[in-house]
Amino acid sequence: NAGVTQTPKFRILKIGQSMTLQCTQDMNHNYMYWYRQDPGMGLKLIYYSVGAGITDKGEVPNGYNVSRSTTEDFPLRLELAAPSQTSVYFCASNPDSDISPQHFGDGTRLSIL
Amino acid sequence: DAKTTQPNSMESNEEEPVHLPCNHSTISGTDYIHWYRQLPSQGPEYVIHGLTSNVNNRMASLAIAEDRKSSTLILHRATLRDAAVYYCILRAGRAGNMLTFGGGTRLMVKP
């Protein structure tokens, strides 16, 4: 199993550009999450999904959008990139159990210049 | 959400045991105690979790105080590969619950 796969690994954007961070998992997990991690800080939840067609906001959703059309994929969209969105983005998933461990991808390092 | 308090950093010598403390005095009866670690330039990795009883797995042991207001992650023999940031997280047992990451403890392992 590949687990949680994130693409791209690195990206540099100009202010105002848009892009989609891709996340896919092959473990048939219903729950998926997007986090961001600023330098020297812990992770903060952006959006999460408890199943295909269902998404909800986390702690820091402003400036981002998500969709969940399939169980496997949970893309994160930045519409108008801003320097404050420079961060490392992690996608995670876990099975239906409420307290089951989350599996994380390797992250996407994004710089907005 | 109940919060946790961890030391910012700790040092250990290679091949010695490491005890990483976590205080969670406002824990509720349904909160599970989870530990994750994050190696440099990687995503977080699940280590262990428990509710009331002490827990052991191939990576570590989790000792939970009788009143559940504190816990300790035990690495029995630290290796250089165990150098990471360790996060203690309380997780409510309900659908879609998120992980709330604090600052964690940066563990440095000396050869």
Side-chain angles (χ1 to χ4, degrees):
Chain A
N1 284 346
V4 178
T5 302
Q6 293 184 237
T7 56
K9 293 191 186 305
F10 305 94
R11 184 75 184 268
I12 298 174
L13 283 183
K14 294 182 179 179
I15 295 171
Q17 286 185 321
S18 62
M19 78 163 292
T20 299
L21 281 66
Q22 301 292 344
C23 175
T24 186
Q25 51 93 7
D26 62 358
M27 298 172 284
N28 202 34
H29 290 170
N30 275 335
Y31 297 172
M32 295 188 74
Y33 310 80
W34 274 106
Y35 296 88
R36 60 175 286 173
Q37 185 174 34
D38 298 332
M41 306 294 285
L43 281 72
K44 293 186 178 179
L45 184 68
I46 305 171
Y47 271 96
Y48 68 98
S49 169
V50 299
I54 305 169
T55 62
D56 207 346
K57 296 178 180 179
E59 184 183 358
V60 290
N62 291 344
Y64 307 94
N65 281 299
V66 293
S67 60
R68 184 93 183 274
S69 57
T70 67
T71 299
E72 294 78 20
D73 300 308
F74 190 39
L76 178 71
R77 178 90 177 156
L78 282 71
E79 291 293 350
L80 289 171
S84 61
Q85 293 176 306
T86 293
S87 191
V88 182
Y89 292 84
F90 291 101
C91 179
S93 72
N94 68 279
D96 289 346
S97 170
D98 293 345
I99 50 89
S100 59
Q102 289 188 8
H103 299 255
F104 285 81
D106 289 334
T108 294
R109 187 175 299 274
L110 181 62
S111 294
I112 316 292
L113 303 176
Chain B
D1 287 336
K3 292 187 177 179
T4 63
T5 304
Q6 300 176 252
N8 289 335
S9 63
M10 290 184 65
E11 271 191 4
S12 172
N13 294 317
E14 196 176 11
E15 298 190 2
E16 290 186 355
V18 182
H19 291 236
L20 297 164
C22 181
N23 287 320
H24 29 79
S25 59
T26 60
I27 190 170
S28 75
T30 57
D31 285 340
Y32 285 78
I33 303 160
H34 284 243
W35 283 82
Y36 283 74
R37 71 179 185 180
Q38 188 173 21
L39 279 64
S41 300
Q42 294 189 24
E45 173 187 31
Y46 166 79
V47 177
I48 200 166
H49 77 275
L51 183 62
T52 55
S53 304
N54 294 344
V55 184
N56 300 297
N57 67 20
R58 64 174 180 81
M59 289 182 70
S61 295
L62 176 59
I64 301 173
E66 198 166 330
D67 63 4
R68 299 208 330 124
K69 293 186 177 182
S70 66
S71 61
T72 302
L73 179 71
I74 303 166
L75 307 180
H76 296 287
R77 286 179 72 244
T79 69
L80 297 178
R81 288 192 68 255
D82 291 322
V85 178
Y86 287 78
Y87 296 99
C88 170
I89 301 167
L90 300 183
R91 194 166 177 204
R94 54 181 167 79
N97 62 85
M98 60 197 74
L99 295 174
T100 302
F101 287 79
T105 296
R106 181 173 298 278
L107 175 66
M108 292 166 281
V109 180
K110 297 182 291 184

